[in-house]
Amino acid sequence: MSSTLLHYGANERKHRMLEKLGGKKVLSEATDTFYNRQINDERLALFFHGTDLAILKWHQFNLMSIAFTEVPENFDVEHLILVRHKHLFDRGLDETYYDCVMEHFSETLKEMEVDPQVIEDACNVVLPLRAIFAQGAKEAEERQGQQTRRGLWTEALLVLAGVVAIAAYQSRKKVN
């Protein structure tokens, strides 16, 4: 998949997307509003606990700047999201939260009085990323299943060790 997800849609239309949104100044304002909406959303707040919002906003601004202009062919979006958000996927991040984020993205642009067609085009640029969030959640579920199985084996071995220890103790007690 790599960077092909952000290469979605007509390149010329997307290439002018940042300009249509109002340029980098408007994108910067939108990023601030966008994150303020998210951290105040009870559904999403848990994912922002302990994060440096200034750094997060800076990364988001840069990613959206790339997404709404030209994405380098060697930019592996899928890997970036899956690796950088692994801890969030382990805490329950999935495509339903992606939908919440997209709702805030769209509402932010509406508040900034961006043309409805431009909002739709901008959302269509990042919509293919939803599948990565489903994949990240699935991988987290698989990791959790493996940990549960390991935990059960560990527990079984501890019980077995305990039984052996008790049997050895009782055996010794009978001999003495």
Side-chain angles (χ1 to χ4, degrees):
M1 234 183 278
S2 69
S3 65
T4 56
L5 286 172
L6 285 181
H7 292 283
Y8 173 81
N11 273 340
E12 185 56 33
R13 183 182 70 197
K14 192 180 84 175
H15 191 71
R16 293 179 294 158
M17 183 66 62
L18 183 59
E19 183 182 308
K20 286 181 178 183
L21 287 169
K24 289 193 175 197
K25 182 176 187 255
V26 170
L27 186 59
S28 179
E29 292 171 21
T31 301
D32 283 337
T33 303
F34 178 54
Y35 271 97
N36 290 336
R37 290 178 63 90
Q38 290 180 78
I39 62 173
N40 290 306
D41 184 331
E42 291 177 7
R43 300 169 295 178
L44 299 171
L46 72 120
F47 297 113
F48 293 100
H49 180 71
T51 61
D52 183 333
L53 282 179
I55 291 173
L56 199 56
K57 287 178 181 181
W58 179 80
H59 282 293
Q60 185 67 51
F61 171 81
N62 286 318
L63 285 171
M64 290 195 310
S65 294
I66 291 169
F68 296 137
T69 55
E70 189 172 336
V71 180
E73 289 296 326
N74 65 346
F75 189 70
D76 191 342
V77 177
E78 179 178 5
H79 177 76
L80 178 74
I81 292 172
L82 291 173
V83 170
R84 294 288 185 193
H85 293 77
K86 181 180 175 187
H87 67 288
L88 298 176
F89 290 121
D90 289 341
R91 288 171 47 194
L93 183 66
D94 63 17
E95 67 277 15
T96 61
Y97 291 105
Y98 172 88
D99 295 340
C100 295
V101 170
M102 286 302 294
E103 175 187 315
H104 288 300
F105 178 66
S106 177
E107 289 300 316
T108 296
L109 296 178
K110 286 177 189 172
E111 282 178 26
M112 299 185 76
E113 299 178 355
V114 173
D115 179 84
Q117 184 58 55
V118 174
I119 294 172
E120 184 179 331
D121 290 346
C123 289
N124 284 335
V125 167
V126 293
L127 182 63
L129 299 177
R130 187 179 194 277
I132 296 174
F133 286 80
Q135 179 183 344
K138 181 180 177 192
E139 289 176 8
E141 189 176 296
E142 290 169 359
R143 281 191 300 276
Q144 188 176 30
Q146 289 171 352
Q147 289 173 347
T148 300
R149 284 189 297 281
R150 264 186 254 132
L152 290 173
W153 276 108
T154 301
E155 191 175 312
L157 288 172
L158 288 173
V159 168
L160 181 60
V163 168
V164 168
I166 290 170
Y169 174 76
Q170 289 177 342
S171 168
R172 255 187 171 169
K173 200 174 176 183
K174 287 181 184 177
V175 172
N176 290 335

